[in-house]
Amino acid sequence: MIGLEAAVVEDSGGERSRFRLGGACAPELSRWESGGSGIVGCGCDGESQEKWLENVCYLTMKLMFIILFKKYTQKDLVIMDLRQFLMCLSLCTAFALSKPTEKKDRVHHEPQLSDKVHNDAQSFDYDHDAFLGAEEAKTFDQLTPEESKERLGKIVSKIDGDKDGFVTVDELKDWIKFAQKRWIYEDVERQWKGHDLNEDGLVSWEEYKNATYGYVLDDPDPDDGFNYKQMMVRDERRFKMADKDGDLIATKEEFTAFLHPEEYDYMKDIVVQETMEDIDKNADGFIDLEEYIGDMYSHDGNADEPEWVKTEREQFVEFRDKNRDGKMDKEETKDWILPSDYDHAEAEARHLVYESDQNKDGKLTKEEIVDKYDLFVGSQATDFGEALVRHDEF
């Protein structure tokens, strides 16, 4: 049935999981909130988010109560001591209803290319992860050197975008960024199938609206407390921003920009706008100190703030509010959530070219890359060699 997307946990290459309720701007547990890989934004207003958290807390408490009740009734119908029951129930309630004090990170940072140490004297594991992505790199470890070289040669043909027979630093950098964010394109492929209803290779706004919201817009009082019409307005605004030619029909690239605006320069203004709307509770177009802190932490009656909250207050005054007017405007918010980071992909591209460029002309041929295949990809042979190194160290 066409309608609101159900709560779904989406795998994203180990980097993200989320519950999706509604459209692209619907509340979701994802990098947009957790900051796991650092994406900014939220997609729902504070009241909807509070309602969602209350539902989660209620279900958690109910589930734990059922588990406890089942445990004590299946064991020969022994009646739990009243004190034990009250203690367990109070613990469940405290666990379920207590609000987290961990910092919510809205700042988007470019992720590390690998969690391994970059030390070519020990192994090329970091380079393999950077060049292929961590999951894809594992598939090469089971191949013979000949098989690895053959697959690497096919990859080189894809990297050479202008088909001039050479791989430049820029082409290698673009490939590394693609490999690192392959999960984004996999996510788009999954959602594309559910939204391109007429299978014409395009997704119109009407198709997206019908597939995402459908009949729920006819319900003036939805049970879950979400304002789906407001969500749809935000989705439409973002869709129009992603749609470069303004025909309300998205190509796959435009659809990718719609779903993952933080990855596109021309979409960053909408990322900032949505973030400010989520935090700016008094709707004055700015983020003041209390709104900034309130987005990260709820006092909930507690007078004492954690140390990280006090640090964030200092950060706001000293660094976020650059013109010292007591609030953040659009540019200050953009500098906060979309900082200019060190370009790890470019650094790795330059490193790979430097190590493989035999004639030192600043670019690589397929032969130069394949000759240095163990730097780019793994194989049974390279894994065996690395195992010997580790054994000798031990």
Side-chain angles (χ1 to χ4, degrees):
M1 177 180 292
I2 296 175
L4 182 67
E5 296 178 18
V8 177
V9 178
E10 296 186 2
D11 177 33
S12 55
E15 293 195 27
R16 178 176 74 161
S17 297
R18 71 182 180 179
F19 292 95
R20 182 173 176 79
L21 296 171
C25 296
E28 52 186 350
L29 284 179
S30 70
R31 294 193 312 160
W32 275 70
E33 279 219 350
S34 68
S37 294
I39 296 180
V40 296
C42 173
C44 64
D45 59 37
E47 292 183 3
S48 297
Q49 194 173 12
E50 288 295 325
K51 178 70 174 177
W52 182 80
L53 286 171
E54 288 175 8
N55 290 337
V56 172
C57 290
Y58 169 74
L59 292 173
T60 302
M61 183 174 69
K62 184 175 181 180
L63 177 61
M64 294 185 71
F65 177 78
I66 291 172
I67 293 172
L68 286 170
F69 182 73
K70 184 176 180 182
K71 174 181 177 182
Y72 282 92
T73 54
Q74 286 187 341
K75 192 174 182 180
D76 300 323
L77 297 178
V78 176
I79 299 177
M80 182 192 297
D81 181 271
L82 180 58
R83 289 172 298 177
Q84 290 177 307
F85 174 79
L86 292 175
M87 181 181 293
C88 289
L89 182 59
S90 62
L91 287 174
C92 292
T93 304
F95 172 80
L97 296 180
S98 61
K99 293 188 177 181
T101 58
E102 294 182 0
K103 176 183 175 182
K104 179 196 295 183
D105 190 1
R106 289 187 179 272
V107 182
H108 170 63
H109 294 289
E110 287 293 326
Q112 295 291 325
L113 302 182
S114 173
D115 59 2
K116 300 179 177 65
V117 177
H118 194 183
N119 185 352
D120 288 354
Q122 296 295 322
S123 76
F124 296 132
D125 287 346
Y126 179 97
D127 300 299
H128 299 167
D129 285 357
F131 181 70
L132 296 168
E135 292 303 314
E136 184 68 15
K138 294 175 184 177
T139 66
F140 276 78
D141 294 340
Q142 309 305 317
L143 304 179
T144 65
E146 290 73 22
E147 290 171 330
S148 287
K149 290 179 182 180
E150 181 180 357
R151 285 184 60 180
L152 176 59
K154 295 178 180 178
I155 291 175
V156 173
S157 298
K158 297 179 181 178
I159 300 174
D160 181 16
D162 58 11
K163 307 301 178 186
D164 65 349
F166 297 97
V167 171
T168 64
V169 170
D170 285 340
E171 288 174 330
L172 197 50
K173 179 183 71 173
D174 290 343
W175 169 261
I176 291 171
K177 288 187 174 183
F178 168 79
Q180 293 297 315
K181 296 176 180 178
R182 187 178 279 112
W183 67 268
I184 289 178
Y185 302 100
E186 293 172 351
D187 174 52
V188 171
E189 285 296 329
R190 283 194 295 268
Q191 298 204 45
W192 184 266
K193 295 175 183 177
H195 293 98
D196 181 13
L197 302 181
N198 61 5
E199 299 182 350
D200 64 348
L202 300 166
V203 173
S204 68
W205 166 246
E206 287 300 316
E207 283 180 310
Y208 179 82
K209 181 177 68 173
N210 291 334
T212 303
Y213 297 100
Y215 65 88
V216 298
L217 293 176
D218 298 327
D219 185 357
D221 187 24
D223 294 335
D224 53 22
F226 292 121
N227 188 335
Y228 293 107
K229 290 186 178 180
Q230 183 180 359
M231 291 179 185
M232 189 183 71
V233 169
R234 287 182 61 151
D235 268 356
E236 184 175 10
R237 182 181 63 189
R238 192 198 288 185
F239 193 97
K240 289 179 177 178
M241 179 72 75
D243 177 28
K244 287 185 173 181
D245 57 11
D247 61 357
L248 287 180
I249 299 175
T251 63
K252 188 166 289 186
E253 185 71 12
E254 290 171 335
F255 193 63
T256 303
F258 168 66
L259 293 177
H260 300 276
E262 70 286 345
E263 301 296 334
Y264 292 81
D265 286 338
Y266 80 98
M267 294 293 291
K268 288 185 177 179
D269 283 346
I270 201 72
V271 172
V272 175
Q273 183 177 356
E274 290 178 2
T275 302
M276 292 190 73
E277 288 173 350
D278 293 334
I279 303 175
D280 177 21
K281 299 305 180 186
N282 63 10
D284 66 349
F286 300 93
I287 298 175
D288 61 38
L289 176 58
E290 293 311 313
E291 289 171 332
Y292 175 80
I293 296 298
D295 180 62
M296 303 177 183
Y297 174 73
S298 175
H299 288 84
D300 222 14
N302 297 325
D304 296 331
E305 292 181 337
E307 283 300 318
W308 68 262
V309 177
K310 297 176 183 178
T311 300
E312 281 299 332
R313 289 185 179 276
E314 296 172 359
Q315 289 286 320
F316 183 93
V317 173
E318 296 295 326
F319 302 106
R320 309 280 185 248
D321 178 20
K322 294 182 178 181
N323 61 5
R324 301 292 192 272
D325 65 351
K327 53 193 176 185
M328 288 195 297
D329 58 24
K330 181 178 179 180
E331 287 303 314
E332 289 169 328
T333 302
K334 185 175 182 179
D335 290 342
W336 165 44
I337 64 176
L338 297 170
S340 299
D341 285 342
Y342 175 74
D343 195 332
H344 296 280
E346 182 175 359
E348 177 64 12
R350 292 187 181 281
H351 166 69
L352 293 175
V353 169
Y354 176 82
E355 294 294 335
S356 309
D357 186 13
Q358 297 176 9
N359 62 4
K360 302 304 177 185
D361 62 352
K363 51 189 176 183
L364 302 178
T365 63
K366 180 184 289 189
E367 290 72 22
E368 286 176 321
I369 293 176
V370 173
D371 284 346
K372 198 73 173 179
Y373 83 98
D374 56 339
L375 173 65
F376 290 85
V377 299
S379 70
Q380 292 172 348
T382 55
D383 266 12
F384 178 70
E386 288 160 16
L388 288 178
V389 170
R390 297 189 189 101
H391 178 73
D392 291 343
E393 288 178 344
F394 177 76

